[in-house]
């Protein structure tokens, strides 16, 4: 079985050439699939600008003619040299699986077969066909983990001659990782925005690539638990202007109260100090929000927390019953929590 793990790809792609004539790149992160497929194509040594040496097909092109893959794979380049057959948007189509199984048992000659596929579960026919072949390799592509996101940040910003401040890195890490190409595109945009400055700040991240709605929701939640009514109003205005549901703020406040409930239980039930509880249970909280949460932990009692959670849940219910009044109902409920925090 020839397969590398997601995190092993960087080491693999740095090697000279590839001994595998058939390569399957698959996974839920389609941006990463596309990026890695392009890197594998470059390692084949085929001139990717030569239309006589590279044939790109959609997997659907083989549905009615699965034998075409064998014909193309055994064809000889018009002007000699290696040839690449590149199949995109593959799934678990029976015709494709049968065709790959057949070509994997033949002499590839000077041909390479590269397949880009979506998320293939273990045991899927296409994966089994590639993993069972001696001259084939399967490469999984999953969304970047924390380490992968940090490496991507360093690669793009370092390549642009930029360093990044700690708080900016933390915010940036939270905004990236869902899709590799999208993440890389956002980093290139940030690098262009900060060109010539030498350093990326937290404000740069917010201005250049921050999701205004998402950041406004976070800002509104922080305003509620800071007791800052004017900041809450400003954040709500941005949220409403972006056509984002204000329910997200209600839900975010309820989640924060649920977290406070568990932490406050340790303070009241086990006589633990708030700072000690924060150090133990607050590791996942953004560093900018930690002082706000610790302050709330000191002043909100269990009784008050549970009463407020119930009241916000009732507000959510009211917004569902009267959606045309969602903004007004949510604003009133959040303002009350904000004033209680103050």
């Amino acid at each position: 079985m020839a397969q590398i793990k997601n995190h092993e790809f960087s080491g693999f792609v740095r090697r000279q050439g590839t001994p595998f004539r058939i390569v399957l790149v698959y996974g839920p992160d389609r941006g990463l699939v596309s990026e890695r497929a392009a890197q594998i194509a470059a390692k084949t040594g085929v001139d990717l600008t030569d239309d006589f040496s590279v044939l790109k097909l959609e997997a659907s092109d083989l549905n009615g003619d699965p034998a075409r893959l064998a014909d193309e794979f055994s064809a000889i380049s018009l002007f000699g040299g290696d040839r690449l057959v590149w199949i995109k948007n593959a799934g678990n189509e029976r015709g494709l699986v049968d065709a790959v199984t057949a070509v994997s048992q033949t002499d590839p000659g000077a041909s390479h077969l590269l397949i880009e596929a979506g998320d293939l579960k273990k045991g899927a026919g296409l994966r089994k066909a590639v993993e069972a072949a001696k001259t084939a390799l399967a490469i999984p592509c999953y969304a970047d983990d924390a380490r992968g996101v940090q490496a991507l940040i360093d690669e793009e910003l370092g390549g642009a001659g930029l360093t990044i401040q700690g708080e900016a890195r933390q915010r940036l890490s939270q905004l990236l990782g869902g899709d590799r190409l999208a993440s890389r595109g956002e980093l290139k945009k940030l690098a262009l925005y900060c060109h010539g400055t030498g350093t990326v700040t937290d404000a740069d991240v917010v201005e250049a690539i921050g999701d205004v709605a998402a950041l406004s929701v976070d800002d509104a939640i922080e305003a509620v638990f800071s007791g800052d009514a004017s900041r809450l109003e400003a954040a709500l205005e941005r949220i409403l202007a972006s056509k984002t549901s204000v329910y997200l703020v209600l839900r975010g406040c309820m989640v924060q109260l649920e977290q406070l409930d568990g932490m406050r239980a340790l303070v009241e039930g086990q006589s633990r100090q708030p700072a000690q509880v924060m150090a133990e249970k607050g590791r996942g909280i953004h560093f900018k929000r930690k002082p706000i949460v610790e302050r709330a932990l000191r002043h909100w009692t269990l009784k008050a927390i549970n009463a407020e959670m119930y009241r916000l849940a009732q507000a959510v219910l009211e917004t569902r019953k009267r959606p045309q009044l969602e903004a007004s109902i949510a604003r009133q409920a959040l303002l009350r929590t904000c004033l209680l925090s103050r």
Side-chain angles (χ1 to χ4, degrees), residues 46-55 77 79-80:
V46 176
D47 183 359
L48 302 181
T49 64
D50 183 359
D51 292 336
F52 294 105
S53 298
V54 180
L55 174 67
S77 177
F79 298 108

Side-chain angles (χ1 to χ4, degrees), residues 39 65 118 127 162 178 200 247 251 265 278-279:
Q39 290 175 293
D65 185 16
R127 276 185 63 177
L162 295 166
V200 179
Y247 159 77
R251 178 58 189 158
M278 278 293 298

Side-chain angles (χ1 to χ4, degrees), residues 70-100:
D71 294 338
E72 297 290 357
F73 193 59
S74 60
I76 299 173
S77 177
L78 183 63
F79 298 108
D82 285 6
R83 190 165 181 271
L84 173 64
V85 179
W86 193 339
I87 299 176
K88 294 178 176 286
N89 298 313
N92 207 36
E93 298 89 348
R94 171 50 56 188
L96 176 61
V97 173
D98 291 342
V100 171

Side-chain angles (χ1 to χ4, degrees), residues 2 26 34 41 48 78 86 104 127 141-142 145-146 148 158 179 207 210 222 228 254 262 278 303 310 328 342:
Y26 70 93
S34 179
L48 302 181
L78 183 63
W86 193 339
S104 67
R127 276 185 63 177
C141 298
Y142 299 108
D145 57 12
D179 179 277
E207 291 293 331
E222 291 175 9
D228 191 337
M254 291 173 67
M278 278 293 298
K303 182 179 179 180
Y310 175 78
S328 298
R342 186 167 63 184

Side-chain angles (χ1 to χ4, degrees), residues 153-167:
I153 291 173
D154 291 335
E155 177 186 342
E156 285 295 331
L157 297 185
L162 295 166
T163 59
I164 183 168
Q165 295 178 354
E167 59 184 27

